[in-house]
Structure formats: C-alpha cells, structure tokens
Amino acid sequence: MSLAAASVVRAAEEFVPPGPSTFDLPPVFSVAGIGVTKPMLQLVLAAILVFGFFYLAIRQRAMVPGRLQYMGEAGYSFVRNSISRDIIGQHDFARYTPYLFALFFFLLLNNWFGSIPFIQFPTFSRASMAYALAGLSWLIYNLAGMSRHGFFGYLKLQCVPANITGPILVLLIPLEFFSNIIVRPVTLALRLFANMFAGHLLVILFAIGGEYLLLEGSLLVKPAGILAWVLFILITFLELLVQFLQAYVFVLLNAMYISGAVADEH
C-alpha cells in the first residue's frame, strides 16, 4: 500500500492505525475472472527490469568496461564470488550461480519497491509471495541433492546423521526429516515475509500517525507529529539496509541448502 493511499485510512476525526488489512490490496484489473493485484504486477516488473538491466550491461562487452558493464559485472561477481563459490564450493558452484544471481537481484528489487516513491509496497510483505519463492528454492535444492545422490541416497543423507548408530536413530531420523525437509522452506519464507511486513507497517504507522497529529492534533501534540515524521524518514533509510540484508540472507541460505544437498556427508 502506498503511503499516499495509506493516508486514506486516516479518518477525518478518528485515527485508524494500519494493520494486516492495510496489505490487502484490491485487484488492479482482472484476466479471465482472476484479479491481478499490485504485488503480482511488481513481480513482472522486477523480472523485466532485472533482465533488461543485465542484458544492456553485457550487450556490448568490452575489455575496458563502461559504467553500465562495470555495474553489471560487479553485481554478478558479488553473487558469484561472495555467495555461490564461497558457500557451495569450487566444484559445484558454477551450476547454481545463475539461479542465485537472478534470485538475489529479483528479490532485492522487489524489496526495494517498498521504498521507491509511487510504488512503496514490498512485494514479499504478502505471505503468499514469500512462500511461493521459498517453495521454488525448496524444489531446486532438493532436486540438486536427488540428482547427485539419488532419491533414497539423498533422504538418507538428510535424515541419518553421520557416525551415529543404534536405537537413538529412531528418534533422530524423524527429527532430521522434519527439520531438513519440512521446516526449511517455512522458516525461509517466514523470515523474509515477517521482516518486509513489519518494516513497512512501521513506516506506514509513523507516516500517517505523524500526518494525523500535524493536521488533526492540538497545538501541544504537533511536535510529536514532527518527531514521528523524522522517525518515518530515518526508518525509511534503515529499511533500505534491511531490504538488502533480507535479499542477501535469503540467497545465502539457498546457497547453504544447495551445498548441504550436494555434499557427500551431512
């Protein structure tokens, strides 16, 4: 929800604080009876922008890179060297770098949509979007493990701790299965969704709360409105960092899960 639209929630005489319903946006239009919402359009827009930027960056490759090529290469090198190669390892990292690279910049732009004027809505503050992305990652790292070890070999790797034998396995195997196979995509999505949701809710609260105090409050509380707007601006800048870190952590965990899936030991 944009901040301009959010101000509508403020009634003329009574302040209505933002809540989960603030994130329920109506469809922008419908296709075959299916409503297309703003977060759905943002996903498409982010995919187009990320592809377009890096396509233009590498279209005319030169030995002495221009500014755009340099930015594209720096972005690719950051994911390739700092995440993919360091986490997955020299032997397997090249196969998974394109996915991690696309995932990082797609996620980063969708997070930054929450701070870009006239958009001002982080796509993954919608739980369904975060769970869909985590589900895709779940498929990729599990398929990577099955491709390397076979179906039963991969299950054994994930569920049976190395160098442990005996009756204790009756307890450990279900726990390892639940932890490594079931819970991972849930926590992966929940971390991203909760941070995007809470951060944007806080920004909206300070923005429309400050506006309400300035416009509707008495003279005594107007300084509190000014303070609320100062905090709104500061938190917005802090959110830029949080949005970057959440994209980084999400991709880092993906690389760790892939590394664990293709490793020979658990």
Side-chain angles (χ1 to χ4, degrees), residues 34 80 88 110 122 132 138 141 170 175 179 183 199 241:
I34 300 175
R80 177 183 182 274
I88 299 177
N110 274 291
W138 182 85
Y141 65 74
V170 176
L175 289 175
S179 172
V183 171
L241 175 62

Side-chain angles (χ1 to χ4, degrees), residues 172-188:
L172 289 181
I173 289 176
L175 289 175
E176 290 289 308
F177 178 82
F178 187 73
S179 172
N180 294 336
I181 305 295
I182 304 297
V183 171
R184 275 182 180 176
V186 178
T187 57
L188 193 64

Side-chain angles (χ1 to χ4, degrees), residues 211-231:
E211 180 189 12
Y212 181 83
L213 291 174
L214 287 171
L215 297 180
E216 305 293 340
S218 66
L219 192 61
L220 288 176
V221 300
K222 288 188 184 300
I226 296 173
L227 177 61
W229 263 78
V230 171
L231 291 173

Side-chain angles (χ1 to χ4, degrees), residues 1-254:
M1 182 178 191
S2 69
L3 297 181
S7 63
V8 174
V9 232
R10 178 182 56 79
E13 296 180 354
E14 183 180 356
F15 176 68
V16 179
S21 61
T22 308
F23 293 78
D24 294 333
L25 304 183
V28 179
F29 57 87
S30 296
V31 177
I34 300 175
V36 177
T37 61
K38 182 177 176 179
M40 295 165 71
L41 293 175
Q42 289 180 196
L43 290 175
V44 177
L45 178 62
I48 293 172
L49 290 177
V50 170
F51 175 82
F53 174 80
F54 286 103
Y55 174 77
L56 292 175
I58 64 169
R59 187 178 57 173
Q60 294 180 336
R61 286 171 289 182
M63 289 298 293
V64 180
R67 185 175 303 174
L68 191 62
Q69 182 182 340
Y70 176 79
M71 291 173 62
E73 290 179 351
Y76 178 77
S77 298
F78 170 70
V79 176
R80 177 183 182 274
N81 299 336
S82 302
I83 300 178
S84 185
R85 190 173 61 188
D86 285 358
I87 302 297
I88 299 177
Q90 192 72 32
H91 185 264
D92 294 307
F93 83 98
R95 180 180 301 176
Y96 302 102
T97 296
Y99 169 67
L100 297 174
F101 166 71
L103 179 64
F104 176 75
F105 285 100
F106 176 73
L107 191 49
L108 179 63
L109 186 55
N110 274 291
N111 288 351
W112 275 350
F113 278 156
S115 300
I116 294 177
F118 305 111
I119 298 180
Q120 291 173 305
F121 189 91
T123 311
F124 295 106
S125 61
R126 294 287 297 167
S128 57
M129 302 290 181
Y131 279 105
L133 194 64
L136 175 64
S137 296
W138 182 85
L139 279 176
I140 288 177
Y141 65 74
N142 280 313
L143 288 175
M146 292 176 193
S147 174
R148 173 62 59 88
H149 305 289
F151 180 77
F152 292 107
Y154 176 66
L155 280 182
K156 180 182 178 184
L157 180 74
Q158 292 298 312
C159 301
V160 182
N163 302 321
I164 295 182
T165 57
I168 190 65
L169 287 176
V170 176
L171 178 62
L172 289 181
I173 289 176
L175 289 175
E176 290 289 308
F177 178 82
F178 187 73
S179 172
N180 294 336
I181 305 295
I182 304 297
V183 171
R184 275 182 180 176
V186 178
T187 57
L188 193 64
L190 193 59
R191 182 183 296 104
L192 175 64
F193 157 70
N195 277 282
M196 292 301 99
F197 177 86
H200 196 61
L201 188 65
L202 199 60
V203 168
I204 295 175
L205 177 63
F206 279 109
I208 66 172
E211 180 189 12
Y212 181 83
L213 291 174
L214 287 171
L215 297 180
E216 305 293 340
S218 66
L219 192 61
L220 288 176
V221 300
K222 288 188 184 300
I226 296 173
L227 177 61
W229 263 78
V230 171
L231 291 173
F232 154 62
I233 294 170
L234 293 176
I235 291 173
T236 299
F237 281 107
L238 180 63
E239 271 297 291
L240 287 171
L241 175 62
V242 172
Q243 289 155 359
F244 171 84
L245 289 176
Q246 286 307 311
Y248 179 78
V249 168
F250 192 95
V251 176
L252 187 71
L253 288 173
N254 267 265

